[in-house]
């Protein structure tokens, strides 16, 4: 399976902060926002990842992440000159995906929960059609919404409905088989002039191969598209890290525990940031005995 991080757009809801920097390069407490979306793909076992962003912002992502080799990844980059919708990622990333399945994650979404890595890996291994991830919200009118029947089967998808049929918001994480390339290529722009991810999902639903997995109690899903939600996300990460003594979305730790890199390589990455608490944490992880707990 290949991975795509969609980190485009202009972050207009965060102006003036994003007038000079990509939203996905802003800090969420102790690390850049894009670390959180990359961590999701890494926890799924995905090592070949494409970052999609604007021509102005791609150099910043390249400086931050490079080619990914130091993390045991293979990172590539492609320009999205103007916002054309989420589904445009599959047209821009067709060569990257090739004949494989693909996971798309939005660069401003944060996921966290016990057992998340195992869930992602099972989903990637047993993928037939598309798998969406639902999360209960208080105001589903702001989101794409998935409705399931009594057997848990996905039966409808609505985009920002006035009268939602459920409270399950469809999050910014999507798993697709290779048919998504053909589906996306055949889409017509919506009234907004964009290729809508909802239309992709409805195509799978019409085929009877769309599934909705609930991320319920024990999981957190945050987006960071407004000043308030960005601040709340940073507070959430800070509280958990200080109470538990672990770092959420620490790419170096995930790479080590997933077997992408060894302890020496992890320690070297920490040494480069030794003056920061983050770097010291990475070195401590590298020097510690193998942990009994799994990456979540």
């Amino acid at each position: 399976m290949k991975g795509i991080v969609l980190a485009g757009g202009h972050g207009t809801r965060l102006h003036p902060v994003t007038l000079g920097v990509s939203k996905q390069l802003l800090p969420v407490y102790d690390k850049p926002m894009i670390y959180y979306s990359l961590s999701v793909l890494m926890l799924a076992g995905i090592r070949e990842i494409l970052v999609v962003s604007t021509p102005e912002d791609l150099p910043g992502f390249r400086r931050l992440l490079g080619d990914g080799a130091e993390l045991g990844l293979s990172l590539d980059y492609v320009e999205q000159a103007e916002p054309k919708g989420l589904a445009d990622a599959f047209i821009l990333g067709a060569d990257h995906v090739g004949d494989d399945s693909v996971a798309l994650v939005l660069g401003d979404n944060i996921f966290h929960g016990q057992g998340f890595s195992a869930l992602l890996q099972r989903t990637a291994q047993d993928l037939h059609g598309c798998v969406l991830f639902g999360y209960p919200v208080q105001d589903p009118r702001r989101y794409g919404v998935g409705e399931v029947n009594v057997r848990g089967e996905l039966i409808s998808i609505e985009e920002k409905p006035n009268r939602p049929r459920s409270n399950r918001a469809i999050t910014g994480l999507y798993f697709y088989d290779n048919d998504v390339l053909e589906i996306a290529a055949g889409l017509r722009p919506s009234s907004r002039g964009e290729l809508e991810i909802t239309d992709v999902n409805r195509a799978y639903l019409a085929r009877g191969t769309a599934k909705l997995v609930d991320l319920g109690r024990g999981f957190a899903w945050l987006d960071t598209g407004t000043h308030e939600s960005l601040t709340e996300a940073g507070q959430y990460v800070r509280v958990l890290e200080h109470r538990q003594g672990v770092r959420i979305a620490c790419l170096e730790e995930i790479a080590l525990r997933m077997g992408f890199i060894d302890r020496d390589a992890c320690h070297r990455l920490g040494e480069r940031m030794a003056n920061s608490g983050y770097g010291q944490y990475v070195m401590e992880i590298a020097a510690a005995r193998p942990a009994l707990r799994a990456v979540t």
Side-chain angles (χ1 to χ4, degrees), residues 145-149 153-158 165-166 168 212:
V145 176
E147 177 192 11
V148 299
N149 60 21
E153 299 166 337
L154 184 62
I155 57 174
S156 77
I157 299 172
E158 300 177 288
R165 298 177 182 175
S166 85
R168 292 178 175 88
L212 185 69

Side-chain angles (χ1 to χ4, degrees), residues 105-255:
V105 63
L106 304 188
D108 60 358
N109 277 216
I110 295 174
F111 298 85
H112 180 254
Q114 185 70 26
F116 194 35
S117 181
L119 171 63
L120 294 173
Q121 291 175 44
R122 288 195 305 269
T123 302
Q125 291 168 1
D126 300 329
L127 183 62
H128 301 285
C130 88
V131 176
L132 311 174
F133 295 86
Y135 191 82
V137 296
Q138 287 189 341
D139 186 6
R141 293 173 299 176
R142 299 169 49 205
Y143 305 94
V145 176
E147 177 192 11
V148 299
N149 60 21
V150 294
R151 295 184 297 275
E153 299 166 337
L154 184 62
I155 57 174
S156 77
I157 299 172
E158 300 177 288
E159 185 63 30
K160 298 180 180 177
N162 290 325
R163 296 182 178 179
R165 298 177 182 175
S166 85
N167 69 339
R168 292 178 175 88
I170 296 174
T171 70
L173 175 63
Y174 316 86
F175 280 50
Y176 299 103
D177 64 18
N178 195 257
D179 288 350
V180 72
L181 300 184
E182 178 186 358
I183 292 171
L187 291 181
R188 293 184 178 181
S190 67
S191 58
R192 300 192 304 165
E194 297 187 359
L195 302 179
E196 306 288 353
I197 199 73
T198 297
D199 291 338
V200 172
N201 298 335
R202 284 175 175 157
Y204 277 102
L205 182 63
R207 297 179 179 189
T209 57
K211 178 181 178 182
L212 185 69
V213 173
D214 272 328
L215 301 177
R217 292 185 176 222
F219 281 90
W221 169 55
L222 308 166
D223 79 32
T224 52
T226 67
H227 296 289
E228 292 77 12
S229 61
L230 180 60
T231 299
E232 290 170 0
Q235 292 170 340
Y236 173 85
V237 173
R238 178 186 179 277
V239 168
L240 277 185
E241 292 190 350
H242 277 252
R243 287 184 178 179
Q244 298 181 357
V246 298
R247 302 260 173 173
I248 298 172
C250 176
L251 302 186
E252 295 82 1
E253 180 180 12
I254 294 172

Side-chain angles (χ1 to χ4, degrees), residues 88-104:
D88 187 44
F90 301 114
I91 295 174
L92 296 172
D95 290 341
H96 168 74
V97 176
D99 296 327
D100 291 327
S101 55
V102 59
L104 172 68

